[in-house]
Every structure is written in structure tokens, then in C-alpha cells.
């Protein structure tokens, strides 16, 4: 057995070859980094094709179908086209920073993949602070917007950057509050720990409100429709990346596509049980497939959403966040924390020994689900009341206007 | 002689980041560049936290200082656009500030670093813990009455007051 080199005993293998321990570990980590980084880089080529195809189908078109079988090589053609475009640096641009921005954009997205558990055994780095790491790394993404917007020496880029920063900073608040709930349920911030805690019951059952808020806030962070004000062509030409051309622009685009896919992976890991599924402990590779399936369901959902919902206005975007998402998130956190303590006080929480058992998790899940349903009910009632009040006001205004009009018409003119 | 292993190399890289970034902040004439140098310096500090087996602090450092505070500084600088393209030196007080900074450095070395971590100091010769403290321990320490609950609550109160103050300032006069 010792002579067989596999990914699981790679360090031992190198040591047997007579390589110094430090160097062996370094090579091992380097290989892991390269492998983890390759996953999103390779996937993005297919993502662009899938995205265009789905958008086309929603809009009753066929989509890319010319390059290669079923148009599969369309993304390759696009990449070649981007490479051959002229690489323009605007006059008066801050060259070093201008070139740095696409790299920051790409890095902030790729870095997230380090903590994503692919199978029970394979994870880039199982950090004990995985969730916090995700937040920290994605907050670097805001830097890219500032840097790109400022260094382009273009007022539209700067204006777009201002708007984008407002959006990114605002939606971090509900995102963090929504992430608190899986952390509370799992009792750990490690991504692998959160996945293991869902062996008995997926968190989407226990915390549907948090899952929806997480999804919405992440869509806004990634700048996907309906929150794609980051690149609102009709309003601010294109936003912070207007001056970029050629492959630097391609890097911004690829980073956005990968970001959209990354949020689907994260939602699958945090709320849909990640790699967990039948026989996953006997054949770990199955976990990769399960994770892929779950991710693609969420990703397809976000694609359909993207091509069906119109873009929101900036004031609607801010109002929706601060007056709707944030209050609900705070109530949701308080409610979940309270119910978790109640469940533990009543002794209904699953025994750690049988945490993977579906039935043992049922009482806790049902109580939490009921709590979530109450929150959803309250929210829907509030929306309904607000809508009705607005409608009544509108009707009253219309009626008053009509009455005035009638008076004006029926009044004898000129007599 | 310092043992040359991965940790030492990482330490040297992070130290170079911090010192280089700090030097850049005070030498560049461009305020945006200065802010980005500051980000580099803060990154180095986050790296130190990782080396000190405090990953939570490292992540918070990146999240708070780079994700929030650096962005705010950039905003403040960008909104005063005439300040971003400085050509002349505004005043000749760099000698004074260099002396002040040097004095502060000496004061910290003599007053804090040497007595505590120097030869014969209270913490001298103490090994860096290999144990990574869990976030749960940190959380317990923050709210336990025997540890840090008072500073924690005082800081919370301060932040709340600052937040209310910010809202009052930003509010339109009605």
C-alpha cells in the first residue's frame, strides 16, 4: 500500500522520495491551491455557454449554435475575440492601479473556493473560520470597484463606482445576518463542519427565511439581475469598468460569471447539505457529483431569474435592503436564537450521537420551520397591508381628480 | 541565527508588506496611492495574525480594516478630488513629524516592548502557542463576567453612540 501514491498520502509519498518535510508540505499545498483554483477557471468556460443558452430559451431564441456541436465552442471563440481586441489604457489613467483592478476582481472570487468542501475528504483548507473567511475575502471585491472606477480617469466610471460601492456595502449587512443562522445551527463557522451538521437535516428546512435572504443578498453582491446596477448600460453607460477593453474587460466579466456560480456553490454547501447524499462516505467522489447537482439547480434558478426580472432602480435597491431585508434578517436572527434555546431547554435537540439521524432531527426542525413560517406570514401580511394602503391612496387621488374634472366640464363655461 | 523555514519566510514577507506599505503611505504624493499602500500594510498585519494562530483576528482585520475602513478612506479622498493630484508639498513640517514619530517609537520600545518582551521581561522566551484558539472560546471570553465583559460592553456602547451620532449628523433638518 505504501508504494501507491494518491492525493490522500501525497506528503508521505514525497517524504519517501527524500524531499525535505517543509518542501514536501509546500509542494502539497501548492498542488492543492492549483487544483482548487482550476475548478472555477474551467467551469467558467461552460458557464458562459449555459448562461447564454438559458437566457435564449427564456426569450424564445435558440442561442449560440454555430461554433462547434450545439455551439459548445462559442465561449472559446469569445475568449479568442477578447484576446485579439486592442488593449486600451485611457490617457491620464493611473496605469499601475488600472492594471491591478482586474486582478483584484478575479482574486477576490477565486479565493472563496479555498474553503468549499467538495467531498468529505477533499477541501482546499478547512478553516475554523470558513464563513468569516468568505465574508472577508468577498469584502476585498469592493476594493476592485473603487480602484477601477477611480483609476480610469472617467467621470462615468467614478459615478458607477460610487453607486456600486453603496450597493455592495449595504447588502453585506443582510448577508452576514443570514449567515449567522447556519452558524448558530451548526455551532461552527467551518464550511466542512456546517456540511457535516446537515447530515440529518438540511438547513433550508430549518431556516428557509435565512436561505432566501442569503440568496438575494448574494445576488446583489455578485451584481446579478435584478440587482445588476453595476453594469447598467442605459443609465451610466456601463459602470465602473467602462474604460476597460480586451482581456482586462474579459477578466471582469469572467469574475462576475464565476461569482454567480460561487454563490450557488455556497448556497448549496450552507443550506442544501453540500456533498451529503446516499453512499457518500463509502465513495467520497459521489460527494462532488451531489454538490454539482445541487449547485446547478440553484444556478439555473438564478439564471432564469436573471432573464425574467427587470432591473431595479437605485432608490428601490437601497429601500429594499434597509427597509425590508435588514429588519427581517434581524428579526430572523433573534427568533432563531430564541427558538434554539427553547428547543435545547425542552430537550428536543438531537443527541450528538444520532445527529445524522433524520428522525432525531425532526422535532427541532419542525419547531424552527414553524418559527420561520410565522416570520414569513408576518412579512406577507405587512406587504399586503402596505400594498392595500397604497392602492387605496391612489384610488382616492384618482377619484378626487375625476371629480374635479367633472365639475370643470359640467360648470357652464363663460356664462 | 534565525531558522529559515516556511514560517520565517512568511514572517519576512508580511513584515516587508507592513513596513513597505507604511513607508509608501508617508512618501507618496498621491492620496489614493497612499490609501492603497495602507491596505497593503493592513494585509501584512492580517498575515501576522495568521502566523500567531489567530485566524479569527486575521479575518476580522481584513473584513473591518480593508473591507470597510479603507473603502471609507478612499471615499473621503475621492470626494475631495483636488487632493488626489498633489504636485507641491503643502508644508515643510516633515522634520517635526519625523521627530515625533521617532520619539513615539522610542517611547513604545522603552516603555512597552522591552520591559515585557525584552531580556528578562515578563513575557520573554515565551513560545508562540501552536494551539489555535477556537472562536467559541473567544466568544465565551468576551461575555464571561470574569474576563472581558466590561470592556466589551463599553465598546458596544461607544459604537452605538457613534452610530446614533452619525445618523443625527446625516439627517436632513426638518
Amino acid at each position: 500500500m505504501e508504494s501507491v501514491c494518491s492525493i490522500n498520502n501525497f506528503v508521505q509519498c514525497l517524504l519517501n522520495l527524500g524531499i525535505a518535510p517543509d518542501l514536501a508540505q509546500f509542494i502539497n499545498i501548492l498542488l492543492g491551491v492549483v487544483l482548487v483554483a482550476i475548478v472555477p477557471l474551467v467551469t467558467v468556460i461552460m458557464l458562459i455557454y449555459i448562461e447564454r443558452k438559458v437566457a435564449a430559451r427564456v426569450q424564445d431564441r435558440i442561442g449560440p449554435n454555430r461554433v462547434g456541436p450545439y455551439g459548445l465552442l462559442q465561449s472559446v471563440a469569445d475568449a479568442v475575440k477578447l484576446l485579439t481586441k486592442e488593449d486600451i489604457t485611457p490617457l491620464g489613467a493611473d496605469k499601475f492601479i488600472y492594471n491591478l483592478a482586474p486582478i483584484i476582481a478575479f482574486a477576490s472570487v477565486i479565493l472563496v473556493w479555498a474553503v468549499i468542501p467538495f467531498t468529505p475528504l477533499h477541501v482546499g483548507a478547512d478553516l475554523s473560520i470558513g464563513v468569516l473567511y468568505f465574508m472577508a475575502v468577498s469584502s476585498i471585491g469592493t476594493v476592485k470597484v473603487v480602484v477601477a472606477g477611480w483609476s480610469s480617469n472617467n467621470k462615468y466610471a467614478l459615478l458607477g463606482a460610487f453607486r456600486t460601492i453603496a450597493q455592495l456595502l449595504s447588502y453585506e449587512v443582510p448577508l452576514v445576518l443570514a449567515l449567522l443562522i447556519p452558524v448558530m445551527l451548526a455551532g461552527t463557522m467551518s464550511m466542512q463542519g456546517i456540511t457535516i451538521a446537515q447530515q440529518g437535516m438540511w438547513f433550508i428546512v430549518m431556516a428557509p427565511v435565512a436561505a432566501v435572504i442569503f440568496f438575494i443578498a448574494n445576488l446583489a453582491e455578485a451584481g446579478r439581475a435584478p440587482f445588476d446596477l453595476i453594469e447598467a448600460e442605459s443609465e451610466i453607460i456601463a459602470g465602473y469598468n467602462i474604460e476597460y477593453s480586451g482581456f482586462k474587460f474579459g477578466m471582469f466579466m469572467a469574475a462576475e460569471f464565476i461569482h454567480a456560480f460561487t454563490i450557488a456553490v455556497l448556497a448549496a454547501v450552507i443550506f442544501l447539505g453540500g456533498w451529503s447524499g446516499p453512499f457518500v462516505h463509502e465513495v467520497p467522489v459521489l460527494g462532488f457529483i451531489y454538490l454539482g447537482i445541487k449547485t446547478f439547480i440553484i444556478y439555473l434558478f438564478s439564471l432564469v431569474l436573471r432573464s425574467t426580472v427587470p432591473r431595479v432602480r437605485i432608490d428601490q435597491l437601497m429601500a429594499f435592503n434597509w427597509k425590508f431585508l435588514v429588519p427581517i434578517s434581524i428579526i430572523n436572527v433573534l427568533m432563531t436564537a430564541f427558538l434554539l434555546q427553547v428547543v435545547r431547554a425542552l430537550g428536543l435537540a438531537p443527541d450528538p450521537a444520532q445527529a445524522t439521524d433524520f428522525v432525531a432531527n425532526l422535532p427541532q426542525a419542525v419547531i424552527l420551520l414553524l418559527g420561520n413560517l410565522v416570520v414569513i406570514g408576518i412579512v406577507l401580511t405587512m406587504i399586503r397591508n402596505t400594498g392595500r394602503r397604497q392602492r387605496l391612496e391612489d384610488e382616492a387621488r384618482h377619484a378626487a381628480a375625476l371629480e374635479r374634472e367633472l365639475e370643470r366640464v359640467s360648470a357652464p363655461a363663460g356664462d | 541565527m534565525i531558522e529559515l523555514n516556511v514560517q520565517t519566510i512568511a514572517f519576512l514577507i508580511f513584515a516587508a508588506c507592513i513596513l513597505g506599505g507604511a513607508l509608501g503611505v508617508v512618501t507618496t504624493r498621491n492620496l489614493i496611492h497612499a490609501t492603497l499602500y495602507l491596505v497593503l500594510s493592513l494585509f501584512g498585519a492580517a498575515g501576522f495574525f495568521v502566523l500567531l494562530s489567530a485566524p479569527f483576528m486575521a479575518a476580522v482585520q481584513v473584513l473591518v480594516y480593508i473591507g470597510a475602513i479603507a473603502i471609507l478612506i478612499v471615499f473621503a479622498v475621492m470626494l475631495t478630488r483636488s487632493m488626489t493630484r498633489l504636485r507641491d508639498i503643502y508644508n515643510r513640517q516633515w522634520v517635526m513629524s519625523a521627530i515625533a514619530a521617532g520619539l513615539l517609537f522610542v517611547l513604545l520600545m522603552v516603555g512597552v516592548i522591552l520591559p515585557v518582551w525584552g531580556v528578562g521581561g515578563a513575557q520573554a522566551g515565551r513560545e508562540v502557542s501552536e494551539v489555535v484558539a477556537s472562536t467559541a472560546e473567544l466568544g465565551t471570553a468576551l461575555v464571561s463576567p470574569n474576563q472581558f465583559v466590561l470592556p466589551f460592553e463599553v465598546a458596544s456602547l461607544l459604537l452605538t453612540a457613534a452610530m446614533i451620532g452619525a445618523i443625527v449628523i446625516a439627517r436632513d433638518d426638518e
Side-chain angles (χ1 to χ4, degrees):
Chain A
M1 278 302 283
E2 284 197 359
S3 61
V4 182
C5 279
S6 76
I7 193 161
N8 298 326
N9 61 354
F10 191 68
V11 174
Q12 196 54 46
C13 199
L14 286 177
L15 287 179
N16 291 345
L17 288 172
I19 294 173
D22 268 356
L23 192 64
Q25 202 161 14
F26 180 73
I27 294 173
N28 186 38
I29 292 171
L30 190 71
L31 266 180
V33 168
V34 171
L35 276 178
V36 168
I38 278 177
V39 175
L41 288 178
V42 172
T43 333
V44 72
I45 301 172
M46 288 319 297
L47 291 182
I48 297 172
Y49 172 77
I50 293 168
E51 170 140 6
R52 293 182 62 173
K53 209 73 180 167
V54 170
R57 282 298 175 194
V58 172
Q59 296 160 0
D60 202 11
R61 294 184 285 121
I62 294 174
N65 65 344
R66 294 287 145 183
V67 192
Y70 304 105
L72 272 169
L73 296 176
Q74 182 67 44
S75 314
V76 180
D78 287 350
V80 171
K81 188 193 86 174
L82 277 175
L83 272 173
T84 52
K85 291 250 172 178
E86 187 187 356
D87 180 33
I88 303 168
T89 307
L91 205 64
D94 204 323
K95 278 219 183 62
F96 179 69
I97 305 184
Y98 179 81
N99 293 331
L100 192 67
I103 300 173
I104 299 177
F106 218 76
S108 73
V109 180
I110 297 280
L111 279 173
V112 175
W113 285 76
V115 290
I116 289 173
F118 295 108
T119 74
L121 299 175
H122 302 114
V123 47
D126 185 22
L127 297 183
S128 60
I129 49 147
V131 172
L132 196 64
Y133 170 86
F134 157 63
M135 282 313 301
V137 165
S138 53
S139 78
I140 299 174
T142 22
V143 176
K144 95 193 165 196
V145 180
V146 175
V147 164
W150 180 78
S151 68
S152 301
N153 196 26
N154 177 319
K155 56 175 171 261
Y156 293 107
L158 196 62
L159 282 175
F162 280 146
R163 262 175 39 158
T164 308
I165 296 285
Q167 173 182 346
L168 295 186
L169 286 185
S170 306
Y171 276 83
E172 261 178 33
V173 178
L175 185 59
V176 172
L177 288 172
L179 272 174
L180 260 180
I181 287 161
V183 170
M184 276 198 294
L185 290 173
T188 172
M189 286 206 283
S190 137
M191 290 282 184
Q192 189 72 282
I194 288 175
T195 312
I196 291 168
Q198 297 179 74
Q199 297 293 297
M201 181 74 77
W202 293 356
F203 284 165
I204 193 163
V205 181
M206 298 200 239
V209 176
V212 171
I213 293 174
F214 178 79
F215 185 68
I216 295 175
N218 252 334
L219 277 185
E221 285 283 311
R224 299 290 283 182
F227 304 108
D228 55 348
L229 287 115
I230 289 180
E231 41 176 295
E233 302 91 344
S234 51
E235 297 161 31
I236 42 169
I237 307 187
Y240 67 95
N241 54 8
I242 172 176
E243 288 288 359
Y244 286 85
S245 64
F247 210 67
K248 283 176 208 153
F249 175 74
M251 277 178 83
F252 276 120
M253 286 310 290
E256 194 208 310
F257 280 113
I258 298 178
H259 198 162
F261 189 63
T262 308
I263 63 176
V265 175
L266 280 169
V269 167
I270 294 174
F271 289 103
L272 292 186
W275 43 256
S276 51
F279 306 113
V280 76
H281 288 287
E282 288 77 25
V283 191
V285 182
L286 273 178
F288 193 74
I289 296 164
Y290 292 143
L291 182 62
I293 293 171
K294 289 168 187 174
T295 305
F296 258 94
I297 291 170
I298 300 174
Y299 185 63
L300 281 178
F301 182 67
S302 83
L303 286 188
V304 173
L305 201 68
R306 177 179 186 268
S307 35
T308 44
V309 196
R311 181 182 297 145
V312 295
R313 279 199 323 260
I314 182 80
D315 59 321
Q316 293 169 334
L317 177 93
M318 295 315 247
F320 178 66
N321 181 52
W322 292 108
K323 295 181 184 167
F324 187 75
L325 278 188
V326 171
I328 295 175
S329 315
I330 293 173
I331 292 169
N332 194 28
V333 167
L334 294 177
M335 186 267 305
T336 310
F338 176 72
L339 282 186
L340 264 183
Q341 289 306 318
V342 169
V343 165
R344 279 182 200 151
L346 293 177
L348 291 173
D351 196 22
Q354 43 174 324
T356 58
D357 187 33
F358 179 74
V359 181
N361 274 290
L362 266 182
Q364 184 185 354
V366 167
I367 290 177
L368 285 170
L369 184 62
L370 284 179
N372 272 284
L373 287 179
V374 169
V375 171
I376 294 173
I378 293 171
V379 168
L380 286 182
T381 319
M382 276 168 61
I383 294 176
R384 181 165 156 268
N385 288 345
T386 317
R388 174 189 284 166
R389 201 162 53 238
Q390 204 148 19
R391 202 171 58 241
L392 288 178
E393 272 172 20
D394 283 353
E395 275 170 9
R397 216 173 28 247
H398 278 139
L402 201 68
E403 211 165 293
R404 272 201 307 278
E405 188 74 6
L406 279 176
E407 264 174 31
R408 201 176 60 80
V409 171
S410 62
D415 279 354
Chain B
M1 185 61 201
I2 305 167
E3 193 189 346
L4 197 67
N5 55 18
V6 177
Q7 291 213 345
T8 325
I9 295 169
F11 175 83
L12 290 176
I13 293 173
F14 290 139
C17 276
I18 293 180
L19 293 178
L23 261 181
V25 171
V26 292
T27 51
T28 180
R29 299 253 178 99
N30 188 324
L31 278 180
I32 291 273
H33 286 181
T35 318
L36 292 177
Y37 277 125
L38 187 65
V39 168
L40 180 71
S41 192
L42 294 169
F43 245 122
F48 271 6
F49 279 125
V50 172
L51 286 183
L52 290 169
S53 311
F56 184 84
M57 296 306 291
V60 168
Q61 170 92 7
V62 173
L63 187 63
V64 173
Y65 280 94
I66 296 168
I69 291 185
I71 297 288
L72 281 183
I73 296 176
V74 172
F75 251 74
V77 172
M78 282 204 298
L79 290 172
T80 54
R81 194 152 164 88
S82 60
M83 298 286 285
T84 54
R85 297 271 157 83
L86 291 187
R87 287 284 172 266
D88 313 315
I89 301 175
Y90 264 121
N91 57 50
R92 304 242 165 232
Q93 290 174 356
W94 66 269
V95 183
M96 289 298 289
S97 38
I99 291 171
L103 274 179
L104 183 66
F105 178 73
V106 171
L107 201 70
L108 281 176
M109 283 304 280
V110 175
V112 181
I113 311 282
L114 286 180
V116 179
W117 287 283
V119 181
Q123 301 272 339
R126 188 166 157 184
E127 290 281 312
V128 173
S129 169
E130 286 291 320
V131 184
V132 179
S134 76
T135 316
E137 287 166 39
L138 185 70
T140 319
L142 281 180
V143 291
S144 138
N146 298 326
Q147 284 169 290
F148 304 107
V149 70
L150 189 63
F152 180 68
E153 292 296 335
V154 169
S156 315
L157 201 66
L158 188 71
L159 287 176
T160 315
M163 215 154 71
I164 294 171
I167 292 171
V168 168
I169 292 172
R171 229 178 125 102
D172 292 334
D173 292 323
E174 283 162 14

